[in-house]
Amino acid sequence: MTRLPIRMTVNAENVELLAEPRSHLADLLRGELLLTGTHTGCEHGVCGACTVELDGAPARSCITHAGACDGATVRTIEGFEGDAVMAALREAFTAEHALQCGYCTPGMLVMARDIVLRLPDADEARVREELSGNLCRCTGYRGIVAAVMRVLDRRRGLAGPAASRAA
Amino acid sequence: MKPAPFTYSRPADWGAAVALLQSGARPVAGGQSIGPMLNLRVVQPDAVADLRHLPGFGGVALSGGLCRIGAGTTHAAIEDDAVPGRLGEILAGVARRIAYRPVRNRGTIGGSLAHADPAADWVAVLPAFRGSAVALGPGGERRIALADFVMGLMETALRPDEVLRAIELPTLPAETRWGHWKFCRKPGEFSKATACVLAVPGEVPRAVLAALDEAPLVISDASALLAAPEAEAARIANAVPGLSPWRAALARTALKRAAAMVLETA
Ligand SMILES: Cc1cc2nc3c(=O)[nH]c(=O)nc-3n(C[C@H](O)[C@H](O)[C@H](O)COP(=O)(O)OP(=O)(O)OC[C@H]3O[C@@H](n4cnc5c(N)ncnc54)[C@H](O)[C@@H]3O)c2cc1C
Ligand code: FES
Ligand code: FES
């Protein structure tokens, strides 16, 4: 089987690997780069477990095949170490019991961060709608929604007059 | 499951893309429909041609009352107002309810139309507009009326060696009225019945009924539907062959609600 040379930036590092065209980004991340934080559930785009940041926006790594990744910039759950929004989300997920087995969590967090940054005014109904592409078999979603709302509310408070005084 | 093996290429220009299609390669845009089909081995192409890097594949341009939307424009770009004016407002509302944001970030308007899933949102909505699909083949470009583009379940007017290059839609006056109803039990799920009604001032109103397991039904004069929504919606839905009673009820209700949205903004 012919393999394709793939160059990507993954979590701010340049990587180069050879991949079968039929393999997908989640395979490359998990199998080649040993970044096993990205999970796969359905492998056809439905469950959201494999969601990573691809060229700056959330995408399904299970239906992004190798060729399409050449030249791409990828950020996986392992790549948010110094990210303030992700730190706030991690804390809120703990406080609100937003995970049990943790299988959906990497995808949930990537999606949650996108919601917080893209939709700063989102209410609970909108958060639920935006999270509807990420399935969780454990929590019943309540804790996850509460965690995202907690971070949104905190940021809305911070963006008020107090924050501008502090700045 | 893994896809059956295939080779990958990334044509640099449109001529190369058409040549690859002539040699039997399967085009791929966002991969959001063909990706799952590859993984499930529903399709097993020997070669795929990735269109995403073609010049002008995505993007929107306005000229002379016509809005040209590159086939590679993503649902997310349209949701985020890539298309200006009243037309853009209408399209953004449709785009926002397609699948989920990570799918919308990659999936394209052209890919959705070329895929021709009868329940897909662009398939259901675009025939309402007096626009065309711009196809490029070995003999050059041709335009196909959007009302004639999808011909059946995953069947389009596109020839195997043609690539869909753009969608051209007339811009719309601010007073254009629009009604759109889509039945899904969960956000992002494929529709069980979709209807839309477009009323452009000074033009005959048009409607589409879709998600029928076949080509969308284009109602090129929806005046009667707007005059007597209840009776007309029932007549139209009941005339669709092969719909089970509950699907016919959903179709009728979708039509009625889309018409009501137009009438409410009268
Ligand atoms: C979980 C999930 C939920 C979804 N829910 C919805 C939904 O609610 N509503 C909805 O409408 N869609 C839904 N979709 C489908 C999604 O909208 C896809 O983005 C879209 O159908 C295909 O666009 P694409 O660019 O990804 O095309 P691809 O998957 O790349 O291609 C699809 C087909 O079109 C052909 N093709 C693509 N581009 C061209 C072109 N320019 N010229 C010629 N042929 C071309 C390909 O050969 C292929 O046969 C969903 C998808 C997923 C994974
Ligand atoms: S594994 Fe990718 S969406 Fe389920
Ligand atoms: S925590 Fe187990 S699937 Fe979500």
Side-chain angles (χ1 to χ4, degrees), chain A residues 98-105 108 135-139 144:
Chain A
L99 65 149
Q100 288 176 28
C101 79
Y103 203 85
C104 68
T105 313
M108 283 289 181
L135 303 184
C136 175
R137 303 271 68 186
C138 302
T139 63
I144 299 171

Side-chain angles (χ1 to χ4, degrees), chain A residues 1 4 21-22 24 27 43-46 51 54-55 57-60 62-65 67-68 70 111 114 118 126 129-130 132-133 135, chain B residues 1-8 10 30-32 35-36 38-41 50 52-53 79 96 100-106 186-188:
Chain A
M1 179 84 268
L4 281 176
R22 64 174 175 158
H24 54 57
D27 290 333
E43 288 189 84
H44 60 272
V46 175
T51 307
L54 177 59
D55 293 330
R60 305 294 204 223
C62 70
I63 49 175
T64 305
H65 287 98
D70 191 28
M111 194 55 216
D114 177 63
R118 183 167 50 86
R126 185 68 192 266
E129 182 193 329
E130 294 287 329
S132 62
L135 303 184
Chain B
M1 195 148 97
K2 293 294 160 209
F6 56 81
T7 60
Y8 171 90
R10 194 182 273 193
Q32 301 300 290
L38 287 167
N39 287 0
L40 298 167
R41 298 200 181 195
D50 185 349
R52 284 180 70 248
H53 300 266
E79 175 183 13
R96 177 181 151 188
Y100 318 105
R101 183 74 183 189
V103 172
R104 300 199 286 274
N105 282 331
R106 306 289 291 183
K186 170 186 178 295

